[in-house]
Amino acid sequence: MSRFSILTFLLLLFLSTEASVHDYRGEHFAAKGNAFVIHGGSEGIYSTTPNSNETSPSASNGDSYIRFDRVTFRRTKEFSNFSSWPIQAVVFEVEDRETIGGSAYGGQRAVCCTGDLAKLGVCAEGQVIYRPSQVNSDWPKVFGVPFETDDEVAVLPTKSIQITKTGMYNLYFIHCDTRLKDLAVEGKTVWKNPSGYLPGRMAPMKIFYQFMSFAFVLLGLFWFYQYVRFWKEVFPLQNCITLVITLGMFEMTLWYFDYAEFSETGIRPTGITIWAVTFGTVKRTVARLIILIVAMGYGVVRPTLGGLTSKVIMLGGTFFVASEVLELVEHVGAISDLSGKAKLFLVLPSAVLDVFFILWIFTSLSATLTKLQARRMMIKLDMYRKFTNALAVAVIVSVGWICYELHFKSNDVYNERWQNAWIIPAFWQVLSYSLLCVICALWAPSQNSTRYAYRGDDGSDEFDRDETTLTLIKPASISAKDVRIVPDARPVQGGNGVSNDDLEEDKRE
């Protein structure tokens, strides 16, 4: 597993792209119907801010554009002895997708102009078919360059397309010449929003992570203030919570700087992105492990996990690797969303492990609650009930949000709702933060916090046993002669039928 993750990490470093600078490195055209196509990118872009200063060097000068920078097409020498039809760049807003392509006499829809359509005079043979948009007759933008005889290279003219309407824009490189074999594209296009180089669907995340950084600072101040005040009363579980808060503060801050530099320079800082992803993955892994071991009673009603320690560590390590690979592939150097199949392949392991965590947590909580109630540890029982209720609410809300997310994506095939897409990842961060706040409120250091910690005189020896191990050997019967009666060992009953052991537990709590 570790070797695989290292290889993935190195591969991402090598293949990482530059922010919203879409870099083309020898991609080859693929046949789509009667055309040969390369997807050059798709991004949500906000319209140009009025009265923008076009000469300003700042990334936030109010301009919105798509700029073509030395986009070059190369063909092999053996197929360079003829003049070709033009290789065209087609830029269109998603609402105008139906303006691309056409058909003759109601036949099959085609992207390239056929001989029959050329005879009707609606297009030129060998070029992309398109109609002017009803909203703006200047769109879609279509321009191209042909290969002249013996030329191995054709370069698109360097130009900038000004964006005057907010929308999801798509770029495709298309040619219709079947004689062009192994044609490849090189160069880059720069996509810019008024506020910077962040793609439109990512732009709100910069403000969101700024807000979350401030929220974690507030939570950290509260927690560390309590920690310093009652440091003598701190027990191991509270140290683990301190670690999660610290990791969260680093994660939010790194994400903010990642998006800030992305927006300002147009180059995504690969190093910061990797650190942000790693801190986030470590935080999620540690948080899940803490919730699991708390559900088992560790640090509160049992001193160790016993034989379950190796299983808990194995589950945590597997979840870390699966989540780290998913997050690295999804964020490092990525501009467009992952394809459905690729994302499903990477999301599935993390989702299965999350389900396993949830089942194990609630199974352990049920056993712990039962034992606490049997031993009449009422203060700890009340705390665990609140903890269970908070987890149950979080799980129910998560399931509901997953259903909404599936509905959102299934009804947004063409990313037309891109301006609201940032809410989906932001929700999970808010939910995680809210649950952390509840845990901090329940286990905040205080002058009485040690009453929640494990004490050797709790009489909780059975919590230390491996609860997943079943005893297959029937215990032998005990004969009367093996029983030794100690006259003074019998518990004293109070007037209400409560033993002196229970009264001592209540006093301690």
Side-chain angles (χ1 to χ4, degrees):
M1 281 289 189
S2 60
R3 183 177 298 177
F4 173 72
S5 60
I6 292 172
L7 290 174
T8 304
F9 174 81
L10 294 175
L11 180 64
L12 287 166
L13 281 178
F14 178 73
L15 295 178
S16 59
T17 58
E18 296 181 349
S20 54
V21 177
H22 292 252
D23 206 352
Y24 315 113
R25 303 178 181 180
E27 288 90 339
H28 291 272
F29 286 77
K32 301 289 184 182
N34 70 339
F36 299 88
V37 179
I38 288 179
H39 183 213
S42 60
E43 284 187 22
I45 303 180
Y46 292 93
S47 60
T48 297
T49 303
N51 302 321
S52 62
N53 181 7
E54 297 184 5
T55 62
S56 172
S58 173
S60 57
N61 60 14
D63 290 342
S64 297
Y65 56 77
I66 302 173
R67 187 176 73 239
F68 291 77
D69 190 358
R70 292 292 298 176
V71 176
T72 303
F73 304 101
R74 294 185 181 275
R75 61 178 177 177
T76 58
K77 188 173 183 178
E78 58 182 312
F79 296 106
S80 62
N81 56 351
F82 63 91
S83 297
S84 70
W85 287 333
I87 301 95
Q88 296 179 289
V90 181
V91 183
F92 62 94
E93 205 270 326
V94 69
E95 292 182 357
D96 298 328
R97 58 186 179 275
E98 296 299 327
T99 64
I100 308 298
S103 59
Y105 311 110
Q108 185 177 3
R109 190 176 184 85
V111 175
C112 290
C113 185
T114 61
D116 290 338
L117 286 171
K119 290 176 183 178
L120 294 176
V122 296
C123 59
E125 187 175 5
Q127 297 192 15
V128 173
I129 305 168
Y130 68 96
R131 302 182 306 280
S133 168
Q134 295 182 353
V135 178
N136 188 341
S137 59
D138 292 335
W139 284 83
K141 301 291 186 180
V142 181
F143 60 98
V145 59
F147 281 102
E148 301 297 338
T149 306
D150 296 330
D151 284 348
E152 296 181 27
V153 175
V155 182
L156 280 177
T158 299
K159 65 180 301 183
S160 292
I161 298 175
Q162 205 74 15
I163 304 300
T164 57
K165 177 179 178 291
T166 298
M168 173 61 68
Y169 287 86
N170 294 270
L171 166 63
Y172 286 88
F173 298 112
I174 304 174
H175 78 83
C176 306
D177 201 328
T178 56
R179 298 171 297 173
L180 291 174
K181 306 292 184 180
D182 297 325
L183 186 64
V185 60
E186 299 173 357
K188 62 184 179 182
T189 54
V190 179
W191 306 54
K192 185 181 172 299
N193 270 285
S195 59
Y197 293 100
L198 274 175
R201 62 185 174 83
M202 293 183 181
M205 296 301 290
K206 175 185 172 184
I207 300 173
F208 171 76
Y209 280 117
Q210 186 177 20
F211 170 79
M212 288 302 298
S213 298
F214 180 69
F216 263 95
V217 168
L218 291 180
L219 179 61
L221 288 175
F222 162 75
W223 183 264
F224 293 128
Y225 174 72
Q226 293 293 106
Y227 194 97
V228 171
R229 283 184 64 196
F230 306 106
W231 64 273
K232 292 183 179 180
E233 305 294 323
V234 171
F235 58 99
L237 176 60
Q238 292 170 328
N239 291 328
C240 295
I241 296 173
T242 303
L243 174 62
V244 173
I245 295 174
T246 305
L247 289 170
M249 293 174 67
F250 276 107
E251 181 196 8
M252 297 302 112
T253 304
L254 286 168
W255 276 124
Y256 170 73
F257 282 115
D258 176 71
Y259 282 107
E261 187 168 344
F262 191 153
S263 178
E264 183 63 29
T265 66
I267 299 175
R268 187 157 199 173
T270 303
I272 297 179
T273 307
I274 291 173
W275 278 111
V277 164
T278 302
F279 269 98
T281 305
V282 172
K283 185 199 76 174
R284 286 191 296 276
T285 303
V286 172
R288 282 162 173 76
L289 291 177
I290 289 175
I291 292 174
L292 177 58
I293 64 178
V294 167
M296 293 176 174
Y298 172 75
V300 179
V301 290
R302 63 192 295 174
T304 67
L305 295 179
L308 293 174
T309 303
S310 60
K311 296 176 184 178
V312 171
I313 293 175
M314 184 180 299
L315 178 61
T318 306
F319 178 82
F320 172 80
V321 172
S323 298
E324 182 78 354
V325 172
L326 171 63
E327 294 294 318
L328 286 174
V329 173
E330 191 168 6
H331 291 286
V332 178
I335 302 171
S336 302
D337 290 331
L338 291 176
S339 65
K341 292 182 179 179
K343 193 163 187 176
L344 179 63
F345 176 77
L346 293 170
V347 166
L348 197 57
S350 296
V352 171
L353 290 169
D354 258 333
V355 170
F356 195 85
F357 262 116
I358 291 171
L359 293 176
W360 199 355
I361 286 169
F362 279 98
T363 301
S364 301
L365 274 174
S366 177
T368 302
L369 286 169
T370 300
K371 292 176 181 179
L372 285 173
Q373 190 166 14
R375 293 183 175 276
R376 299 176 63 88
M377 299 178 181
M378 304 311 295
I379 294 180
K380 293 178 181 178
L381 178 62
D382 181 62
M383 179 186 64
Y384 263 84
R385 280 175 175 166
K386 293 177 181 177
F387 179 59
T388 303
N389 291 337
L391 284 181
V393 170
V395 170
I396 292 171
V397 172
S398 297
V399 172
W401 189 258
I402 289 172
C403 293
Y404 170 76
E405 187 175 340
L406 292 173
H407 172 76
F408 181 93
K409 292 185 177 180
S410 63
N411 289 279
D412 190 33
V413 179
Y414 300 104
N415 293 323
E416 294 177 272
R417 299 165 65 184
W418 58 274
Q419 294 182 69
N420 298 322
W422 69 275
I423 297 174
I424 291 176
F427 171 83
W428 295 112
Q429 293 285 3
V430 172
L431 181 63
S432 174
Y433 177 79
S434 301
L435 186 58
L436 181 59
C437 288
V438 171
I439 293 173
C440 288
L442 290 175
W443 274 285
S446 66
Q447 60 183 0
N448 297 320
S449 60
T450 52
R451 65 182 175 175
Y452 298 122
Y454 171 81
R455 294 188 299 271
D457 57 352
D458 278 345
S460 307
D461 294 338
E462 63 183 80
F463 281 101
D464 299 332
R465 299 173 188 168
D466 186 347
E467 297 170 4
T468 63
T469 304
L470 299 177
T471 304
L472 302 180
I473 302 176
K474 183 178 179 180
S477 59
I478 302 175
S479 60
K481 65 180 181 180
D482 294 328
V483 179
R484 296 182 180 178
I485 300 176
V486 181
D488 296 332
R490 190 174 45 173
V492 178
Q493 298 290 332
N496 58 356
V498 180
S499 67
N500 59 349
D501 287 341
D502 294 333
L503 291 173
E504 285 299 317
E505 169 62 26
D506 291 338
K507 288 178 183 177
R508 286 193 298 268
E509 296 187 352

